[in-house]
Amino acid sequence: AGGAYLELTGGVGDSGCLKLTKNINSQQGSFILDDLDGGNPIYGFDVTFKVRIGGGTATPADGFSLSVGPSLSDTSNFGEGGAGGGLVFGWDIYNNPDT
């Protein structure tokens, strides 16, 4: 949803990568995975990724989030504040009133 897209290059060592947004003001993008547990409760998960925030202005903004929950759909579009009725990890790196 939003502006997120996959690219074959541009990641670590010029590998493929997920780009949530381009370095243009007021962009927002989300990448939603299908339910990996077939509707069953999630009791734990591992996540590993490398992040690059920058390439725009001297003070990059706004951040990103990792949201896990049953109320996210493939049309959900949210930013660094996260979404869903589950677990939200938010990296809000810009001083603004977001939640």
Side-chain angles (χ1 to χ4, degrees):
Y5 58 100
L6 297 170
E7 282 199 347
L8 297 176
T9 60
V12 176
D14 209 27
S15 65
C17 63
L18 166 66
K19 294 185 177 181
L20 294 176
T21 64
K22 293 186 176 195
N23 58 349
I24 301 168
N25 288 341
S26 302
Q27 298 293 301
Q28 184 166 290
S30 300
F31 186 76
I32 309 294
L33 295 175
D34 289 334
D35 184 352
L36 302 176
D37 287 333
N40 294 313
I42 298 172
Y43 294 105
F45 63 92
D46 294 321
V47 61
T48 303
F49 54 88
K50 294 183 179 185
V51 175
R52 177 175 180 245
I53 299 176
T57 59
T59 306
D62 280 320
F64 66 98
S65 64
L66 171 65
S67 301
V68 179
S71 58
L72 297 171
S73 72
D74 59 0
T75 59
S76 296
N77 190 6
F78 52 91
E80 70 279 6
L87 184 62
V88 174
F89 296 95
W91 290 265
D92 189 347
I93 62 168
Y94 190 74
N95 187 15
N96 58 15
D98 281 356
T99 57

